[in-house]
Amino acid sequence: MSEPSRRDPLEGLDHATLARLLPDLLLIGQLIDRAGMPALLGEFGLDGMRDVAIEEWQAASPHYTRRMKDALSITGDGVAEIFKGFQLDVGAPPEFMDFRYGVTDHGNGEFWLDHCGALMDVEPMGERITKTMCHDIEDPTFPATALATNPRAQVAPIHRPPRDPEGRTPHCHWKVWIDPEAEPAPLPEPAVESAASRLIDFRFDAPAPQDTAGEGERDDYAGPLLTDLVFSEFTSAALIRIIREVYLQMHLLAVGFHQSVRRRSDRETADRLLAYQATGISGVAGGRLREVLGVGGDARGLAAVLDVHPLSGPVAYTGFTSRTTDDGAGLIVSWDTSADGFHDDTWLPLLAAGDLRPLETAAQGVDPRWRVEPAIGDGSRVEAVLWLGAEPTEEPEEVAVTRISTGAAFNFGPTRTALPITPV
C-alpha cells in the first residue's frame, strides 16, 4: 500500500476548483442544522428543537465570526464589518440565503433577503414553525453573530415572515446599528461553554498551494464591503484559509448541538442525536462534493471527495488521511485520534466510539454501492476499508430527511459582479 500523505488536500486543488468548492461547503454547513432538526423534533418537540437551534448557533457564531475576521484581515467594528462576517457564515450561504446589504454610515445599515432558502423549507409547514424560525430563533442568534464585531451592535426586524401579503419580497428586512450608550453584550452562555473547545484557538500553518494559475488578486477582505463575494477573485491561499475556517464553523455547530442536547438530557442522548445529524449531512455532502469535483464513483473519485468532506476537513484538526489499496479498487481511510478534533464535542468522537455510519453515507453519496469495514487497531487511529459492493444500498432515513431541504439540490447561478457598497 502507498504511504498516506499528511499534506492538506486543499493545497493540491487548482484555483478554479477551490473557488467552486467554497460556496458548496458554505451551503453544506447551512444544511447541518436541517440534518439535526428532525431528530430534535422527535426527541424534544418543537419547543425543544427551537431551544437547541438557538443554543447551537449561539455557541458557534461568536467564535467562528472572530476567527474568519482574523483569517481575512477584516478590521473595524462597524456595520459594514458585521455584514462581511455574514457573507462568510455557514448560516448565510450565497444565493440560497440571498442577503443584500445597505450601509448608511459606520454605525447604521440594513440587510434583507431577496431569497431565503430556509423560509422555502419551513413556510409550507405552517405559520407556527415559520414564526419559530423567523422570530424565536433569529432574534437571539443574529445579535450573537454581530457581537463578535461589536458588542454594542443592535439587530431588529423591519418586517419578517409569516409573509403578509402572501409572497411578499424581500422575504425579510432587518436594521442593524451600533448603540454607543448600550451595555456591551456578553458572550451567550452556550458560547462560554463552547469556548473550552480546542478549535476556538486552533492555528493553521500558512497554506502552500501547488497550483496558483489564474488565481485572483484578493488575498484578504480589507477595503469596502462588497455586494457579493466572487470567490474566483481571491488568491488560492486566501481560499484555502477561508475553507479551513468554514470546516471549523461546521465543527463548532456540532459542538453547540451536542452540548445543548446534553444540557437537557444526557451524553448518551446527545451522542445519538449528533450521530443522526452527522449521518444525514454526510450523505448529502458526499453527493454534492462529487458533483463539484467532477469525479467518478471509483476509488480515486471517492478519495477526492472524502479528502474535502466535512468529516475530514480541516485535516490539521481532524488527523485524516486516505490511501488507495494495492489493487486501486478500494480505499483505506484513517483518523489520528490524538488530533485536536477528537478532544472536542464534534462528530469525530462518534467515529472513535465505533459509529462509522457517517463515513458510510458519505461514501454512498458518491456511489450507493460503497461499503465500509472497520479495521481493528489499538485505539490510536480510527481506520476503515471501503470497497465497492455489487448492489446499491437504500438511502437511510437520516439522509432522506436532510434532502427534504431545498438546499440539498440547490444549484448556484451565474457569477455575479462584486460592487463596493458605499454609505448612502
Side-chain angles (χ1 to χ4, degrees), residues 48-197:
M49 183 208 75
R50 172 201 64 206
D51 294 344
V52 173
I54 291 169
E55 293 172 8
E56 171 188 32
W57 289 98
Q58 285 183 325
S61 68
H63 297 304
Y64 67 56
T65 300
R66 172 190 59 81
R67 287 189 58 96
M68 187 67 81
K69 290 180 62 186
D70 290 346
L72 284 180
S73 302
I74 300 173
T75 58
D77 62 356
V79 169
E81 288 72 38
I82 292 173
F83 292 163
K84 287 183 179 183
F86 286 1
Q87 287 178 316
L88 292 161
D89 190 312
V90 292
E95 298 184 46
F96 184 69
M97 305 290 287
D98 196 11
F99 280 66
R100 304 287 92 197
Y101 303 97
V103 178
T104 302
D105 53 36
H106 171 271
N108 295 275
E110 298 178 1
F111 69 88
W112 58 95
L113 271 74
D114 281 348
H115 175 270
C116 177
L119 177 63
M120 297 299 96
D121 289 347
V122 303
E123 196 170 46
M125 301 178 188
E127 184 172 303
R128 185 184 177 201
I129 195 166
T130 299
K131 282 186 174 179
T132 296
M133 183 184 76
C134 300
H135 295 240
D136 301 341
I137 295 175
E138 289 184 349
D139 280 353
T141 53
F142 276 139
T145 304
L147 70 82
T149 297
N150 193 317
R152 290 186 169 86
Q154 313 293 310
V155 184
I158 296 171
H159 77 77
R160 54 181 168 179
R163 293 191 284 172
D164 185 18
E166 183 179 349
R168 179 176 183 174
T169 57
H171 289 172
C172 66
H173 193 169
W174 299 72
K175 60 180 178 180
V176 182
W177 72 101
I178 310 299
D179 182 355
E181 304 301 320
E183 287 294 320
L187 270 181
E189 283 303 313
V192 174
E193 182 176 1
S194 65
S197 304

Side-chain angles (χ1 to χ4, degrees), residues 331-352:
L331 189 69
I332 298 172
V333 297
S334 178
W335 288 263
D336 182 347
T337 57
S338 69
D340 288 273
F342 284 87
H343 298 270
D344 289 341
D345 290 319
T346 67
W347 303 312
L348 300 179
L350 302 175
L351 303 178

Side-chain angles (χ1 to χ4, degrees), residues 220-241:
D220 57 33
Y221 196 8
L225 172 70
L226 301 172
T227 54
D228 294 278
L229 293 184
V230 178
F231 297 122
S232 60
E233 294 180 354
F234 285 89
T235 65
S236 293
L239 289 171
I240 292 171
R241 293 199 306 273

